[in-house]
Every structure is written in structure tokens, then in C-alpha cells.
Amino acid sequence: MNQKPCLTRDDAVRIIAAARAEAEANGWPVTIAVADDGGHLIALERLDGCPAASAYIAPEKARAAALGRRETKLYEEMINAGRVSFLSVPVLQGMLEGGVPVWVDGQLAGAVGVSGVKAPQDGQIAQAGIDAL
């Protein structure tokens, strides 16, 4: 039987703490979501002052990154380049920059989604969380 790494609750807490530190250091109110490799939510934190919609968007970015096994930035770039038909893909709703997969030893362990500020900043916060692992 194959074995692979997977994110634990403790991993999710560590990711969120590091992502929160990055967001707070820059004064960015965001929602941070951590999902497993199937896109199922493990943890979520919404910082004070964050837009309410971000609490829905961040988990969808994490889900899209996990299911697609790629950064959601790539989906956004593809759609902005004219492939708008990709918007009809079932299940994937968070196709905006800010969803980043978590890779461990070449295996997908989960994903982080961030929403609340400009797209590149969302991605920066998500990566800061992952880097804490």
C-alpha cells in the first residue's frame, strides 16, 4: 500500500500562525484557510477587519489548489488570458491567486487559501504559512 504525508491539525495551526504573522506584519486583514489533499477544510482563521466574503473565498482557494494540485494563480492567469470557458469547470470556485498547494517529498499534503487583500499579497501570505513547515 502506498503511503503519503498528510497535514495534521498541528500543521494547520503552525501554517495559520505563520500566515497570520505575515499578514499582521503588513497590516493586511485576511482570512486564512488550510485544507487537506481533498480540499476539505482543516482550519480557518478570519482576522479582524477582514471582509466577510473572504471567509467563503479563502476555503475555495484552498480547495481549488488542492484538487487542481497547482497554485490558483495559474487558473487566474489562464482565465485572464482568454480561456473564460474554464470558469465552467465543476467544483473549482476559488480560481483567484491566493491558493497554494502544500507539497511534502513530492506528495500533495494539502493546500492553503488566503483572501482579503490584493491577489499577490494573498499568495505571499499563503506561502509564508507553508514555509513554516
Side-chain angles (χ1 to χ4, degrees), residues 12-86:
V13 168
R14 200 166 11 153
I15 289 168
I16 285 183
R20 181 186 339 105
E22 179 72 15
E24 289 176 340
N26 289 287
W28 296 333
V30 296
T31 297
I32 305 155
V34 180
D36 66 14
D37 64 335
H40 306 285
L41 196 60
I42 298 171
L44 178 115
E45 184 166 338
R46 181 177 164 212
L47 303 183
D48 292 341
C50 181
S54 294
Y56 293 96
I57 297 168
E60 291 302 328
K61 288 181 179 184
R63 182 184 338 271
L67 294 177
R69 302 169 59 93
R70 66 189 67 193
E71 288 192 42
T72 54
K73 173 184 179 179
L74 300 174
Y75 294 126
E76 184 174 8
E77 290 172 350
M78 179 176 37
I79 292 164
N80 287 342
R83 191 162 181 216
V84 294
S85 62
F86 202 79

